[in-house]
Amino acid sequence: MRESVQAEVMMSFLVSEELSFRIPVELRYETGDPYAVRLTFHLPGDAPVTWTFGRELLIDGVGRPCGEGDVRVEPADCDSLVEVLIRLQVGRDQALFRSSTAPVIAFLDRTDKLVPLGQEGALADFDTHLDEALDRILAEEQSTG
């Protein structure tokens, strides 16, 4: 059975140094993809946009700068872990979001209760074996039915 953890967090979308606005962001974690988290950004006037990246990147980025390429996560202030920055990039276009760290940590804590960090591989293997077993059972039923 696949389980999930969800949370809605208000983040600031930092358009420039002078302009930012708050948007709801849905954080989602599913046991069917135990290494990943999904962030769905609800930008005004646009369809929601979902980014998927490693749960461990989000965990590590709360405390120190992490990530290369398209997704980077880091504390907003190295002396204080009160806020976290999430930078998403596609080509030359990028978007920067700022969030209070507390709700992100609360979400990550709930994911860890569902699948402890480091235990993802066992869960992924279980799901693969279960899917293979179900496929075999269905194939047998169809051949005898």
Side-chain angles (χ1 to χ4, degrees):
M1 182 165 107
R2 296 177 190 228
E3 297 179 63
S4 66
V5 171
Q6 284 181 240
E8 186 172 292
V9 176
M10 292 302 291
M11 292 188 184
S12 294
F13 176 35
L14 307 173
V15 179
S16 68
E17 286 187 30
E18 300 83 28
L19 179 62
S20 68
F21 52 94
R22 297 185 52 78
I23 63 166
V25 178
E26 179 186 325
L27 285 68
R28 186 169 182 84
Y29 176 79
E30 298 176 348
T31 59
D33 191 1
Y35 292 101
V37 292
R38 287 171 179 72
L39 277 65
T40 301
F41 299 88
H42 298 273
L43 299 168
D46 286 332
V49 176
T50 300
W51 278 70
T52 302
F53 54 91
R55 174 173 69 153
E56 194 168 351
L57 173 64
L58 188 58
I59 291 169
D60 292 345
V62 166
R64 64 181 173 81
C66 289
E68 296 178 12
D70 296 345
V71 179
R72 296 178 186 190
V73 182
E74 63 186 280
D77 179 359
C78 291
D79 296 330
S80 166
L81 302 179
V82 174
E83 293 183 315
V84 64
L85 297 174
I86 300 172
R87 183 180 317 273
L88 307 173
Q89 186 167 344
V90 176
R92 290 189 170 153
D93 295 329
Q94 65 176 306
L96 181 61
F97 300 89
R98 182 178 57 223
S99 173
S100 173
T101 304
V104 174
I105 289 174
F107 166 76
L108 290 169
D109 184 55
R110 290 174 52 216
T111 71
D112 192 62
K113 285 180 173 63
L114 189 60
V115 179
L117 191 62
Q119 300 298 313
E120 300 93 346
L123 184 64
D125 290 343
F126 173 76
D127 282 348
T128 300
H129 294 305
L130 180 61
D131 288 343
E132 291 171 356
L134 289 173
D135 288 343
R136 279 196 309 273
I137 291 168
L138 291 173
E140 289 173 9
E141 284 184 8
Q142 288 176 352
S143 67
T144 59

